[in-house]
Amino acid sequence: MLPELIHNLKNEALALISQTKNAKELEDLRISFLGRKGKINQLFAQILQLTNQQEKINFGKSLNEVKQIIQEALANQSKILASDEETTFSWFDPTLPGVKPAQGHLHLLSQAIEEISEIFGQIGFVRVRYPEVDWDWYVFEALNMPPGHPARDEWETFFVEAPKHPQFGEMVLSTHTSNGQVREMERLKAKPPIRMLNLAKCYRRQQDNTHTLMFHQFEGLVIDRNIKIIHLKGVLDYFGQAWFGAGVKSRLRPFHFQFTEPSFEVDFTCLNCQGKGCRSCKSGWLEIGGAGMVHPKVLEAGGIDSRQFRGFAFGCGVERLLMLRHQIPNIRLFYENDLRFLEQF
Ligand code: PHE
């Protein structure tokens, strides 16, 4: 008798649950089956009165199973009712055009990285990637900045708590993509010609509207016989026009870096006023990065004979280029993943 009762109870419950049309009906059913005085508990009371111990155990077990099945059915039905409420279509018109799913695209920065690689690829630069966590040697010392040199202060450096390398010194988060210079000379076994584009993340301890702890830079490095400043100028003009548009010119302003001699800061003519001077640029020029002729000591650190070969290098921030091109006021917009910003590009 009991097994039949249990079986019937299950079937009855499942049938009723599947017929409910709203949450209230479902809740009433839950109470009538699983409530304190509900049908399940009534059967449990009957089982307790059995005298045969083994029977008690068996029936108790199967009643528990049924209880669980009913709980699951209730939960399921509650989901179905909820989703029915969301579907407001009362009829389906198969001739209506479909709803277009939202389509994503590459992040603005990824687009820029592709574009910059493409622009330099056109004139033979090879894109490489070197470690963002690198040794002091590649980031500073090989670039003519021995330990304790004051020029290092320009790069507010994060040091990694790791054992020192016996030869290369401390581990740091690379503060610029210039760490790729000597690494590239080594990769090519100190045999020019070298035409490198190193594009990577860099890390510096500075924060304001135009600076974040992490940002992207690209580094161009060209080494060959008879390389002159005019070659650097030509490459920068080419890039400026490809990135900002025809007519943009570059300007080299004397500056100082330990790893280039002579060194320059690079300006492009302002897009807004075509170099005449406006409210946003003031002078008609926008500063976009640093550059110079590779210092003989850097060539030597990479094993290249500085009497035979010369080179130029330049470094520039990717975010900065984008901010100038699109008048983006705050660098944080790149990293906040706000669709209202990202969807504009
Ligand atoms: N590494 C320099 C910086 O981050 C830029 C630079 C690169 C300057 C190459 C000269 C040559 O400021």
Side-chain angles (χ1 to χ4, degrees), residues 73-94:
L74 284 166
N76 241 341
Q77 181 70 3
S78 147
K79 270 191 218 144
I80 291 170
L81 289 176
S83 72
D84 280 354
E85 268 165 33
E86 281 164 20
T87 332
T88 46
F89 297 112
S90 51
W91 56 282
F92 176 65
D93 179 357

Side-chain angles (χ1 to χ4, degrees), residues 107-109 207-212 319-320 322-324 326-337 341 345:
H107 189 279
L108 173 60
L109 269 168
Q207 293 205 72
D208 56 36
N209 274 354
T210 50
H211 295 90
T212 38
E319 284 85 345
R320 176 154 179 79
L322 283 167
M323 289 171 81
L324 292 174
H326 299 293
Q327 265 118 49
I328 298 169
N330 190 321
I331 193 170
R332 266 154 206 84
L333 287 163
F334 287 104
Y335 313 113
E336 280 168 349
N337 281 339
F341 172 73
F345 302 100

Side-chain angles (χ1 to χ4, degrees), residues 27-276:
E27 176 60 10
D28 288 347
L29 273 184
R30 191 189 65 77
I31 293 168
S32 87
F33 282 92
L34 303 180
R36 200 149 47 89
K37 294 187 183 139
K39 295 179 179 169
I40 292 269
N41 276 347
Q42 285 168 22
L43 275 181
F44 270 122
Q46 284 195 35
I47 290 173
L48 281 179
Q49 279 158 19
L50 292 175
T51 44
N52 181 324
Q53 198 57 28
Q54 192 54 46
E55 268 185 356
K56 251 192 196 170
I57 294 175
N58 289 347
F59 291 146
K61 201 166 148 219
S62 54
L63 189 53
N64 262 325
E65 278 165 16
V66 166
K67 185 175 168 187
Q68 207 179 338
I69 291 170
I70 294 176
Q71 279 168 339
E72 278 162 19
L74 284 166
N76 241 341
Q77 181 70 3
S78 147
K79 270 191 218 144
I80 291 170
L81 289 176
S83 72
D84 280 354
E85 268 165 33
E86 281 164 20
T87 332
T88 46
F89 297 112
S90 51
W91 56 282
F92 176 65
D93 179 357
T95 62
L96 273 177
V99 181
K100 237 188 174 175
Q103 205 174 12
H105 59 70
L106 286 182
H107 189 279
L108 173 60
L109 269 168
S110 303
Q111 291 178 34
I113 289 169
E114 280 191 355
E115 185 178 338
I116 293 165
S117 308
E118 172 72 22
I119 292 173
F120 283 104
Q122 300 262 354
I123 52 170
F125 282 74
V126 177
R127 165 107 196 259
V128 294
R129 311 185 72 165
Y130 288 117
E132 291 163 15
V133 184
D134 207 350
W135 302 109
D136 184 291
W137 166 260
Y138 290 105
V139 180
F140 293 118
E141 203 168 344
L143 299 179
N144 196 26
M145 288 182 274
H149 196 287
R152 287 176 175 229
D153 289 354
E154 259 202 52
W155 291 275
E156 299 184 64
T157 312
F158 288 109
F159 290 85
V160 178
E161 270 186 41
K164 264 191 172 180
H165 190 287
Q167 195 183 344
F168 299 138
E170 290 199 74
M171 196 186 268
V172 303
L173 299 188
S174 195
T175 54
H176 50 185
T177 40
S178 302
N179 68 325
Q181 292 192 15
V182 169
R183 283 190 171 274
E184 179 72 351
M185 297 178 207
E186 287 175 354
R187 181 179 77 89
L188 297 177
K189 312 231 163 13
K191 287 202 182 66
I194 290 175
R195 264 185 241 126
M196 171 194 85
L197 182 75
N198 178 29
L199 201 161
K201 295 191 190 79
C202 303
Y203 302 83
R204 292 182 199 175
R205 200 177 150 272
Q206 28 176 242
Q207 293 205 72
D208 56 36
N209 274 354
T210 50
H211 295 90
T212 38
L213 303 178
M214 184 278 299
F215 60 101
H216 297 76
Q217 254 195 356
F218 60 88
E219 184 95 359
L221 174 71
V222 171
I223 301 174
D224 208 342
R225 291 173 204 279
N226 297 320
I227 292 291
K228 302 188 176 87
I229 296 176
I230 196 68
H231 298 129
L232 166 65
K233 180 90 167 68
V235 167
L236 291 172
D237 278 337
Y238 161 78
F239 175 72
Q241 290 178 18
W243 179 263
F244 286 117
V248 167
K249 293 195 188 74
S250 72
R251 170 174 87 169
L252 300 177
R253 247 181 316 111
F255 199 68
H256 174 262
F257 294 105
Q258 276 295 111
F259 36 95
T260 44
E261 181 57 39
S263 303
F264 311 102
E265 278 197 318
V266 181
D267 299 337
F268 283 153
T269 39
C270 173
L271 301 166
N272 233 352
C273 59
Q274 266 79 40
K276 288 188 201 78

